[in-house]
Amino acid sequence: MIRLHREDVVPRYVNGRWVWNEENETFKFNSRNEAKKEFVVTGGYKFLASLNQLEELVFRQDYQRSAKSFDADVVTTRDVVNLVTFLAPDEMMNKNFLQLINSFTVRLFLKALILYFNYFLKVVEFILIRRDEKTSSLSSNESAQIQLILSSHLTQYRLLVARAYSVIIMGERDVKKFHHIQPFTKISMTRKDRTLHEQFLAFCTQFIWIIMHRRAYDIIDMEMNRLFRSEHFKLTRNEQIRFTGTEARMLYGKNYRRRDYRNQSSPLIQEISNVEKHNLPILWLGKRKYRGTDLRIKVLELEFVVNTAHSSLISASHGILGHPRHLYNTLLEPDWEAIRFSNFSKNYDPYYIVTQPSLKIPDLNEEEIRKLSKTYDSYYTLATYTEFWSDEEINKWMRRSRTEGAVIDIWTKCRIDIAEKSLGSSVTEMMQSKNILHLTSTLRQFKRFVHAMLYDDIVTIVNIRTLKS
């Protein structure tokens, strides 16, 4: 992974100019970096937008994924989780939050979010392109069918998100200890639960935004607020993009209902409460092997089961996941110079960097064919491999410091290496060894032989010289 800065020391004066202050009659340094955006505010929490030399060195030495880990040559979800956690504010570094994002249910939830927003942003791009190209207010039958199929695809991805989200809010399986109702007193910890979930939603927004190449932040934040808060309680009110009624029905699906704020439930709960019969196998994806004739569910299963680090093997693209790490810097931003020298082209582009992933136009009869498909009983359970933080790593995150206690310069590193590496056995141990004694005797015999050879050669040379004289 490419470094952001070549130096390890943070310069005191950088990127600015000196000006004369007439009031104090002294020189003052005006830095241009102060005008830059240092934080990205998400859900009321300030995430760092950049790293200086010292922070980058701390992250690479202590918090970055090891080169000996699984799939170390590609970008994985753990790389993004580590980066977002390091950029997160200090109030998030508590044990409950760190254990929550380290659970298996949350990892499945994050994977479902990746699949959903990857498709959602493509549909939004499709809508915006149609706005520019639209010449008539009347839509054809084919256009209406395509919109219906794209809307059903979004509904299917939302079902995956709603399935994992319902497990989290119900406090089941490995997230049971994070439920807001105490097991014995049956009292709801409202304030603690609100803080935990606000931090979790802010973390998810940053997580998805970084994976999607740091693009369309406003759309991602708007959709995250709509999915988990509904339109009554969303934090962002002034959206940059407003969708028409037809576009909103296409994006939000036919199950979305906006009611009075007292009776309003989140769109994810509305989706999982109104599952159609031919979409029921989606709720078992990743747990049981699907056996049936529905090709759409097989495509969803392939996307969900295959590790995002191996997306190129199934000709899929999920943001930066699965891309080589040497094409990105510490902040997981693409290094275009490295990409240019990788010789990608339209004919060779396994990671969809040159040819950007686009929305595939589906078959117009897809939904009718799906309703005629058959589903058989499943006898196989699936297991996935996921890397988690150890207890030591969680404790390290709790003691996280971006500027202290972790930086090791080259001199300290050499001292540690010299102190840790053994110099071998002592002289007495070497002399007591039979092999050493045998080797010593062999060397002595060899020296005697060499001396004898040299003595004979010297005598021969002297005799020759005397004969010549």
Side-chain angles (χ1 to χ4, degrees):
M1 193 171 288
I2 303 172
R3 291 190 57 175
L4 287 170
H5 309 283
R6 295 182 179 179
E7 303 85 7
D8 295 338
V9 181
V10 182
R12 186 175 180 182
Y13 304 107
V14 61
N15 194 13
R17 61 190 181 92
W18 291 93
V19 295
W20 177 257
N21 190 349
E22 296 181 355
E23 295 180 359
N24 300 329
E25 295 184 353
T26 56
F27 283 102
K28 181 182 178 182
F29 184 79
N30 288 340
S31 177
R32 297 188 184 94
N33 291 337
E34 294 178 357
K36 293 184 179 180
K37 193 174 182 181
E38 297 182 358
F39 299 100
V40 178
V41 181
T42 304
Y45 295 96
K46 292 183 178 181
F47 291 82
L48 288 181
S50 60
L51 298 175
N52 58 25
Q53 289 88 338
L54 188 58
E55 291 169 346
E56 182 186 10
L57 197 61
V58 171
F59 176 71
R60 293 177 71 94
Q61 286 187 2
D62 274 7
Y63 300 103
Q64 197 176 50
R65 188 165 62 99
S66 173
K68 299 179 181 179
S69 58
F70 183 71
D71 284 332
D73 56 336
V74 296
V75 180
T76 62
T77 54
R78 187 175 179 182
D79 291 322
V80 187
V81 168
N82 290 351
L83 178 62
V84 176
T85 310
F86 188 78
L87 299 178
D90 293 335
E91 54 262 32
M92 284 191 179
M93 296 299 104
N94 56 78
K95 192 172 184 179
N96 278 341
F97 175 74
L98 294 173
Q99 289 180 346
L100 176 64
I101 63 177
N102 195 44
S103 59
F104 181 73
T105 303
V106 170
R107 295 300 173 90
L108 291 181
F109 173 76
L110 293 177
K111 188 169 186 178
L113 272 183
I114 293 169
L115 298 179
Y116 173 70
F117 275 97
N118 183 50
Y119 199 82
F120 179 80
L121 293 179
K122 292 179 183 178
V123 177
V124 171
E125 184 182 11
F126 173 77
I127 289 174
L128 297 179
I129 293 174
R130 287 289 301 271
R131 279 185 183 180
D132 297 335
E133 297 178 350
K134 197 170 183 180
T135 57
S136 175
S137 59
L138 298 177
S139 59
S140 61
N141 293 332
E142 293 182 354
S143 177
Q145 290 179 357
I146 290 175
Q147 292 179 8
L148 181 63
I149 295 173
L150 295 180
S151 179
S152 64
H153 287 182
L154 285 173
T155 301
Q156 294 156 14
Y157 286 115
R158 269 194 299 268
L159 280 177
L160 292 175
V161 180
R163 181 187 65 174
Y165 179 65
S166 61
V167 175
I168 294 174
I169 62 175
M170 291 297 293
E172 299 176 352
R173 301 171 193 168
D174 56 344
V175 293
K176 184 177 181 180
K177 60 181 178 180
F178 305 109
H179 196 249
H180 64 97
I181 297 180
Q182 296 181 357
F184 298 105
T185 60
K186 303 298 181 182
I187 298 175
S188 176
M189 298 180 291
T190 308
R191 183 175 297 179
K192 183 179 179 181
D193 182 69
R194 181 185 61 188
T195 303
L196 181 63
H197 281 79
E198 289 291 341
Q199 294 174 355
F200 179 60
L201 292 182
F203 176 88
C204 292
T205 304
Q206 283 284 320
F207 177 82
I208 296 297
W209 179 56
I210 291 177
I211 287 180
M212 298 303 163
H213 299 278
R214 287 183 168 86
R215 297 174 181 172
Y217 174 80
D218 295 327
I219 296 177
I220 293 173
D221 188 38
M222 178 183 66
E223 182 63 11
M224 288 287 291
N225 278 280
R226 190 194 71 86
L227 284 177
F228 299 101
R229 306 179 195 273
S230 76
E231 294 187 355
H232 290 292
F233 307 103
K234 60 184 180 181
L235 300 181
T236 55
R237 294 292 177 181
N238 299 321
E239 295 91 355
Q240 294 186 359
I241 298 177
R242 293 184 178 273
F243 300 108
T244 62
T246 305
E247 295 169 350
R249 284 192 296 271
M250 176 182 173
L251 289 173
Y252 305 153
K254 60 183 179 181
N255 293 326
Y256 178 65
R257 297 290 184 273
R258 185 171 180 177
R259 301 184 179 91
D260 183 71
Y261 73 94
R262 296 184 183 90
N263 301 320
Q264 181 70 46
S265 57
S266 66
L268 293 179
I269 302 303
Q270 293 180 8
E271 289 288 352
I272 206 166
S273 301
N274 301 280
V275 185
E276 295 180 341
K277 184 178 180 180
H278 59 279
N279 286 333
L280 285 175
I282 297 176
L283 301 178
W284 286 104
L285 292 183
K287 300 178 182 178
R288 297 179 183 176
K289 181 71 177 69
Y290 173 71
R291 294 179 68 247
T293 59
D294 195 338
L295 297 180
R296 176 59 188 168
I297 295 183
K298 289 185 177 181
V299 171
L300 286 173
E301 183 183 36
L302 190 64
E303 280 188 297
F304 191 78
V305 171
V306 174
N307 194 341
T308 50
H310 306 147
S311 300
S312 60
L313 299 179
I314 59 174
S315 300
S317 176
H318 302 116
I320 65 174
L321 298 179
H323 291 193
R325 290 180 69 181
H326 68 270
L327 300 180
Y328 293 85
N329 58 20
T330 309
L331 282 174
L332 295 180
E333 296 173 341
D335 186 87
W336 295 109
E337 183 178 358
I339 293 174
R340 185 170 66 250
F341 286 102
S342 297
N343 297 325
F344 292 119
S345 63
K346 292 183 178 180
N347 297 326
Y348 173 70
D349 190 18
Y351 308 109
Y352 294 94
I353 296 177
V354 177
T355 57
Q356 294 294 325
S358 57
L359 194 64
K360 296 181 181 179
I361 303 300
D363 189 5
L364 298 180
N365 299 324
E366 180 179 317
E367 287 299 312
E368 297 179 1
I369 296 174
R370 287 194 62 214
K371 292 178 181 179
L372 299 175
S373 61
K374 296 182 180 180
T375 302
Y376 307 107
D377 294 336
S378 178
Y379 306 105
Y380 308 102
T381 57
L382 299 177
T384 57
Y385 174 78
T386 307
E387 286 185 315
F388 297 102
W389 291 332
S390 62
D391 294 337
E392 296 179 357
E393 290 176 323
I394 292 178
N395 293 332
K396 184 190 293 185
W397 281 112
M398 292 173 61
R399 301 188 304 268
R400 183 203 66 181
S401 176
R402 298 194 185 102
T403 57
E404 297 178 358
V407 180
I408 301 176
D409 57 2
I410 187 63
W411 299 106
T412 309
K413 190 179 294 185
C414 292
R415 293 193 193 99
I416 293 174
D417 291 341
I418 292 173
E420 289 181 352
K421 291 182 179 179
S422 174
L423 298 177
S425 55
S426 61
V427 177
T428 55
E429 293 176 353
M430 293 172 61
M431 294 303 296
Q432 291 175 0
S433 176
K434 295 182 179 180
N435 295 331
I436 296 297
L437 295 175
H438 177 69
L439 181 61
T440 305
S441 62
T442 305
L443 288 174
R444 287 175 180 173
Q445 293 177 4
F446 179 73
K447 286 181 179 179
R448 291 172 185 171
F449 176 75
V450 171
H451 285 305
M453 292 282 293
L454 290 174
Y455 179 76
D456 294 340
D457 292 340
I458 292 171
V459 171
T460 305
I461 292 171
V462 170
N463 293 333
I464 292 173
R465 286 182 178 179
T466 53
L467 290 173
K468 287 184 178 181
S469 60

